[in-house]
Amino acid sequence: MDLNHLSTGKKMAVFAASAVLLAVLPFLVGGTLGNSWVRIIDFALLYVMLALGLNIVVGFAGLLDLGFIAFYAIGAYAYALLSSPHFDIHWLFFFTIPLGAAFASLGGVLLGTPVLKLKGDYLAIVTLGFGEIVRIFMNNLNSPVNITNGPQGINLIDPIHIGGASLGQTIELFGLSFHNVYLYYYMFLALTVLVVIMAWRLQHSRIGRAWVALREDDIAAAAMGINIRNIKLLAFGLGALSGGVAGGLFASFQGFVSPESFSLLESIMILAMIVLGGMGHIPGVILGAVVLTIAPEILRDVIGPLQMKTFGRMLIDPENARMLLFGLAMVVMMLVRPEGMWPSKRRKAEFQHAKEEAAAQKG
């Protein structure tokens, strides 16, 4: 769906309808499928923020980053350390989440500084190593001074408090009962909208055009006067900022963080959201994040009962079967529609041009 051809009035109608749908979505889902599915939607919003952050680095600037989950971990642990009994510090989220985002952004700049001249596979390997280093640090910083509590993680993390009300408890308002997953949904939705606006403004700014030039040809971009060093560091820093915000929200929502939540598989999953949704296209990235968060949960609920109904027993472990089907779907998607589910016009034209050139060479 492309909104560019619509008139201003029709665009406003689409946005208003979308806003109403998003406002009532948790009640529709909770009333039909239960609060567990509202919780899944909450995680989908977190992944949207992560995917949009990584899209700045990979989709806009063309820098392959396989360690993005490290910034998610930095934001989560910053919130956990400053809002839990671990150090007996209980700061408000107005301070902890921005501080965690700032630490994550600083981590992005520190990662970007030594890899300015690396490209492709070399850049992917270094960023992958950075992500694993952060996870291992979190796993081992429990001696000689216990900072992260090691593999046991940090428990009893404070939920977000706004005006004396805790988002970790059910709240009665206007005669309606808002479960904590509903309250976190609206908090996540508000911050996701802010991240979307930030990403959109960046994409259509001079910085965004500089990132496109960098992605297409860094030598030509440098010849045109673009400061390659600064523009790369800006991409790493701003992308990590979004990851740090999502990490702080994750810690407050879960009430517990441990190194196991920040494995390499998570980084690969976020990258897959961008590639399958439509690299560099904000609506496509959002679609990819939502689909790849919700689809595995649907498969989880379907595969087990389907095997029992068909064969009378479990032939394949539901978790293994879920990942097998998930991987197969990704392979098919890359073969049939490599530009993604919802690509931008530029990316779609590039793939079409590549297909025409390949066909001409064969002919």
Side-chain angles (χ1 to χ4, degrees):
M1 181 180 179
D2 188 4
L3 299 180
N4 292 329
H5 68 281
L6 297 179
S7 64
T8 303
K10 290 183 178 179
K11 286 182 181 179
M12 293 300 295
V14 170
F15 287 134
S18 301
V20 171
L21 177 61
L22 290 172
V24 301
L25 183 62
F27 294 98
L28 296 175
V29 173
T32 55
L33 301 176
N35 289 339
S36 62
W37 275 95
V38 180
R39 185 179 181 86
I40 292 170
I41 294 175
D42 291 346
F43 276 105
L45 291 174
L46 286 179
Y47 278 112
V48 167
M49 281 187 269
L50 287 170
L52 288 171
L54 183 57
N55 186 55
I56 292 175
V57 182
V58 178
F60 293 171
L63 304 170
L64 184 56
D65 186 354
L66 292 181
F68 190 76
I69 202 66
F71 310 123
Y72 189 44
I74 292 171
Y77 269 92
Y79 185 95
L81 293 174
L82 297 174
S83 299
S84 72
H86 185 65
F87 288 145
D88 200 22
I89 300 175
H90 299 278
W91 287 4
L92 294 174
F93 89 99
F94 294 107
F95 302 104
T96 51
I97 288 183
L99 195 58
F103 282 135
S105 184
L106 178 61
V109 174
L110 292 177
L111 169 63
T113 302
V115 301
L116 288 174
K117 295 185 179 181
L118 297 181
K119 300 178 183 178
D121 297 340
Y122 299 100
L123 178 61
I125 291 171
V126 172
T127 54
L128 185 154
F130 175 79
E132 286 298 288
I133 287 171
V134 170
R135 184 184 64 82
I136 292 171
F137 260 96
M138 300 304 183
N139 200 50
N140 289 278
L141 284 179
N142 58 340
S143 64
V145 178
N146 187 6
I147 298 176
T148 64
N149 208 32
Q152 287 78 28
I154 300 175
N155 205 354
L156 301 176
I157 299 172
D158 298 340
I160 291 175
H161 288 77
I162 300 177
S166 171
L167 298 191
Q169 300 176 349
T170 301
I171 295 178
E172 298 289 338
L173 190 64
F174 304 119
L176 297 175
S177 179
F178 291 85
H179 193 271
N180 69 315
V181 292
Y182 291 55
L183 299 173
Y184 270 104
Y185 167 82
Y186 291 113
M187 169 62 73
F188 291 176
L189 180 62
L191 291 175
T192 300
V193 169
L194 288 178
V195 173
V196 170
I197 293 172
M198 180 191 77
W200 186 85
R201 294 287 293 174
L202 284 170
Q203 184 179 22
H204 295 86
S205 67
R206 292 178 61 188
I207 295 172
R209 291 191 289 273
W211 282 333
V212 171
L214 172 66
R215 183 187 67 203
E216 298 299 328
D217 192 328
D218 57 342
I219 296 176
M224 293 171 61
I226 295 174
N227 190 319
I228 299 297
R229 178 180 65 86
N230 289 351
I231 211 69
K232 283 186 177 181
L233 292 180
L234 196 59
F236 277 111
L238 290 176
L241 185 73
S242 178
V245 171
L249 295 174
F250 168 77
S252 69
F253 184 50
Q254 286 287 88
F256 171 76
V257 294
S258 71
E260 294 180 357
S261 300
F262 312 105
S263 63
L264 173 62
L265 181 61
E266 290 292 312
S267 281
I268 295 174
M269 185 66 71
I270 299 167
L271 182 61
M273 293 172 182
I274 297 172
V275 175
L276 293 182
M279 189 179 298
H281 191 220
I282 293 174
V285 170
I286 295 172
L287 177 63
V290 171
V291 169
L292 291 193
T293 304
I294 295 178
E297 300 302 326
I298 296 175
L299 289 174
R300 190 197 304 271
D301 290 345
V302 170
I303 291 173
L306 183 62
Q307 290 187 82
M308 292 299 296
K309 186 176 180 179
T310 306
F311 305 106
R313 61 191 181 93
M314 290 287 187
L315 297 179
I316 306 176
D317 179 72
E319 182 65 21
N320 294 335
R322 180 176 71 98
M323 294 306 296
L324 177 63
L325 291 175
F326 182 55
L328 181 62
M330 290 175 64
V331 171
V332 171
M333 184 68 189
M334 287 295 95
L335 292 174
V336 175
R337 196 176 175 86
E339 67 271 23
M341 294 182 288
W342 193 352
S344 63
K345 288 184 178 180
R346 176 195 292 269
R347 188 165 177 80
K348 193 173 183 178
E350 289 173 354
F351 273 91
Q352 185 63 32
H353 181 67
K355 287 180 181 179
E356 291 174 355
E357 283 190 344
Q361 291 176 358
K362 288 182 180 179

